[in-house]
mmCIF file of all heavy atoms in Angstrom:
data_model
loop_
_atom_site.group_PDB
_atom_site.id
_atom_site.type_symbol
_atom_site.label_atom_id
_atom_site.label_comp_id
_atom_site.label_asym_id
_atom_site.label_seq_id
_atom_site.Cartn_x
_atom_site.Cartn_y
_atom_site.Cartn_z
ATOM 1 N N ARG D 55 -26.460 -5.978 -5.219
ATOM 2 C CA ARG D 55 -25.568 -4.857 -4.868
ATOM 3 C C ARG D 55 -24.751 -5.140 -3.576
ATOM 4 O O ARG D 55 -23.623 -4.680 -3.452
ATOM 5 C CB ARG D 55 -26.322 -3.523 -4.669
ATOM 6 C CG ARG D 55 -26.948 -3.042 -5.915
ATOM 7 C CD ARG D 55 -27.246 -1.511 -5.828
ATOM 8 N NE ARG D 55 -28.271 -1.067 -6.782
ATOM 9 C CZ ARG D 55 -28.048 -0.828 -8.058
ATOM 10 N NH1 ARG D 55 -26.849 -1.090 -8.626
ATOM 11 N NH2 ARG D 55 -29.034 -0.390 -8.738
ATOM 12 N N LEU D 173 -30.365 4.094 -0.164
ATOM 13 C CA LEU D 173 -29.902 4.326 -1.527
ATOM 14 C C LEU D 173 -30.522 3.325 -2.419
ATOM 15 O O LEU D 173 -30.328 2.100 -2.390
ATOM 16 C CB LEU D 173 -28.425 4.205 -1.594
ATOM 17 C CG LEU D 173 -27.526 5.351 -1.372
ATOM 18 C CD1 LEU D 173 -26.038 4.896 -1.397
ATOM 19 C CD2 LEU D 173 -27.754 6.418 -2.457
ATOM 20 N N VAL D 174 -31.449 3.766 -3.382
ATOM 21 C CA VAL D 174 -32.063 2.968 -4.405
ATOM 22 C C VAL D 174 -31.589 3.389 -5.728
ATOM 23 O O VAL D 174 -31.650 4.532 -6.049
ATOM 24 C CB VAL D 174 -33.615 2.979 -4.281
ATOM 25 C CG1 VAL D 174 -34.218 2.176 -5.445
ATOM 26 C CG2 VAL D 174 -34.098 2.558 -2.905
ATOM 27 N N GLY D 175 -31.035 2.485 -6.501
ATOM 28 C CA GLY D 175 -30.432 2.818 -7.791
ATOM 29 C C GLY D 175 -31.021 2.037 -8.928
ATOM 30 O O GLY D 175 -31.366 0.835 -8.806
ATOM 31 N N THR D 176 -31.205 2.621 -10.133
ATOM 32 C CA THR D 176 -31.644 1.989 -11.315
ATOM 33 C C THR D 176 -30.496 1.704 -12.261
ATOM 34 O O THR D 176 -30.776 1.141 -13.373
ATOM 35 C CB THR D 176 -32.683 2.763 -12.060
ATOM 36 O OG1 THR D 176 -32.103 4.043 -12.551
ATOM 37 C CG2 THR D 176 -33.799 3.216 -11.082
ATOM 38 N N VAL D 177 -29.295 2.050 -11.880
ATOM 39 C CA VAL D 177 -28.146 1.981 -12.778
ATOM 40 C C VAL D 177 -27.286 0.853 -12.381
ATOM 41 O O VAL D 177 -27.208 0.478 -11.164
ATOM 42 C CB VAL D 177 -27.425 3.310 -12.797
ATOM 43 C CG1 VAL D 177 -28.297 4.407 -13.330
ATOM 44 C CG2 VAL D 177 -26.835 3.686 -11.411
ATOM 45 N N LEU D 188 -23.532 4.895 -5.746
ATOM 46 C CA LEU D 188 -24.153 3.836 -4.882
ATOM 47 C C LEU D 188 -23.221 3.220 -3.908
ATOM 48 O O LEU D 188 -23.345 3.455 -2.761
ATOM 49 C CB LEU D 188 -24.807 2.780 -5.829
ATOM 50 C CG LEU D 188 -25.976 3.268 -6.591
ATOM 51 C CD1 LEU D 188 -26.347 2.219 -7.664
ATOM 52 C CD2 LEU D 188 -27.248 3.470 -5.642
ATOM 53 N N GLN D 200 -29.521 -0.378 -0.959
ATOM 54 C CA GLN D 200 -30.523 -1.401 -1.302
ATOM 55 C C GLN D 200 -30.061 -2.508 -2.222
ATOM 56 O O GLN D 200 -29.484 -2.108 -3.251
ATOM 57 C CB GLN D 200 -31.752 -0.770 -1.864
ATOM 58 C CG GLN D 200 -32.984 -1.545 -2.017
ATOM 59 C CD GLN D 200 -33.602 -1.818 -0.620
ATOM 60 O OE1 GLN D 200 -33.382 -1.154 0.296
ATOM 61 N NE2 GLN D 200 -34.309 -2.981 -0.506
ATOM 62 N N GLU D 202 -31.297 -4.860 -4.059
ATOM 63 C CA GLU D 202 -31.997 -5.027 -5.294
ATOM 64 C C GLU D 202 -31.733 -3.983 -6.252
ATOM 65 O O GLU D 202 -31.524 -2.786 -5.884
ATOM 66 C CB GLU D 202 -33.555 -5.227 -5.127
ATOM 67 C CG GLU D 202 -33.935 -6.404 -4.279
ATOM 68 C CD GLU D 202 -33.948 -6.162 -2.754
ATOM 69 O OE1 GLU D 202 -33.570 -4.989 -2.395
ATOM 70 O OE2 GLU D 202 -34.325 -7.024 -2.056
ATOM 71 N N ARG D 203 -31.760 -4.265 -7.565
ATOM 72 C CA ARG D 203 -31.667 -3.270 -8.600
ATOM 73 C C ARG D 203 -32.925 -3.230 -9.495
ATOM 74 O O ARG D 203 -33.108 -3.952 -10.383
ATOM 75 C CB ARG D 203 -30.444 -3.483 -9.492
ATOM 76 C CG ARG D 203 -30.313 -2.516 -10.562
ATOM 77 C CD ARG D 203 -29.142 -2.861 -11.571
ATOM 78 N NE ARG D 203 -29.440 -2.426 -12.912
ATOM 79 C CZ ARG D 203 -28.940 -2.864 -13.955
ATOM 80 N NH1 ARG D 203 -28.009 -3.821 -13.869
ATOM 81 N NH2 ARG D 203 -29.299 -2.306 -15.176
ATOM 82 N N PRO D 204 -33.992 -2.494 -9.100
ATOM 83 C CA PRO D 204 -35.154 -2.420 -9.822
ATOM 84 C C PRO D 204 -34.943 -1.763 -11.150
ATOM 85 O O PRO D 204 -34.197 -0.785 -11.278
ATOM 86 C CB PRO D 204 -36.084 -1.614 -8.954
ATOM 87 C CG PRO D 204 -35.181 -0.771 -8.155
ATOM 88 C CD PRO D 204 -33.978 -1.602 -7.951
ATOM 89 N N ILE D 222 -32.966 8.233 -1.200
ATOM 90 C CA ILE D 222 -32.262 8.803 -2.348
ATOM 91 C C ILE D 222 -32.490 7.902 -3.474
ATOM 92 O O ILE D 222 -32.238 6.676 -3.437
ATOM 93 C CB ILE D 222 -30.755 9.010 -2.096
ATOM 94 C CG1 ILE D 222 -30.571 9.949 -0.907
ATOM 95 C CG2 ILE D 222 -30.107 9.450 -3.286
ATOM 96 C CD1 ILE D 222 -29.108 10.021 -0.566
ATOM 97 N N LEU D 223 -32.863 8.436 -4.675
ATOM 98 C CA LEU D 223 -32.969 7.659 -5.974
ATOM 99 C C LEU D 223 -31.790 8.069 -6.836
ATOM 100 O O LEU D 223 -31.538 9.252 -7.098
ATOM 101 C CB LEU D 223 -34.276 7.961 -6.639
ATOM 102 C CG LEU D 223 -34.462 7.322 -8.027
ATOM 103 C CD1 LEU D 223 -34.433 5.781 -7.958
ATOM 104 C CD2 LEU D 223 -35.752 7.863 -8.680
ATOM 105 N N VAL D 224 -31.030 7.094 -7.228
ATOM 106 C CA VAL D 224 -29.896 7.248 -8.138
ATOM 107 C C VAL D 224 -30.316 6.700 -9.562
ATOM 108 O O VAL D 224 -30.580 5.467 -9.687
ATOM 109 C CB VAL D 224 -28.607 6.613 -7.630
ATOM 110 C CG1 VAL D 224 -27.463 6.729 -8.623
ATOM 111 C CG2 VAL D 224 -28.276 7.086 -6.262
ATOM 112 N N THR D 225 -30.457 7.559 -10.513
ATOM 113 C CA THR D 225 -31.073 7.166 -11.741
ATOM 114 C C THR D 225 -30.610 7.902 -12.895
ATOM 115 O O THR D 225 -29.560 8.536 -12.843
ATOM 116 C CB THR D 225 -32.626 7.265 -11.595
ATOM 117 O OG1 THR D 225 -33.263 6.678 -12.687
ATOM 118 C CG2 THR D 225 -32.993 8.777 -11.464
#
Side-chain angles (χ1 to χ4, degrees):
R55 291 202 205 282
L173 272 173
V174 176
T176 67
V177 296
L188 289 167
Q200 192 67 25
E202 295 87 358
R203 180 186 148 200
I222 299 175
L223 174 63
V224 179
T225 190

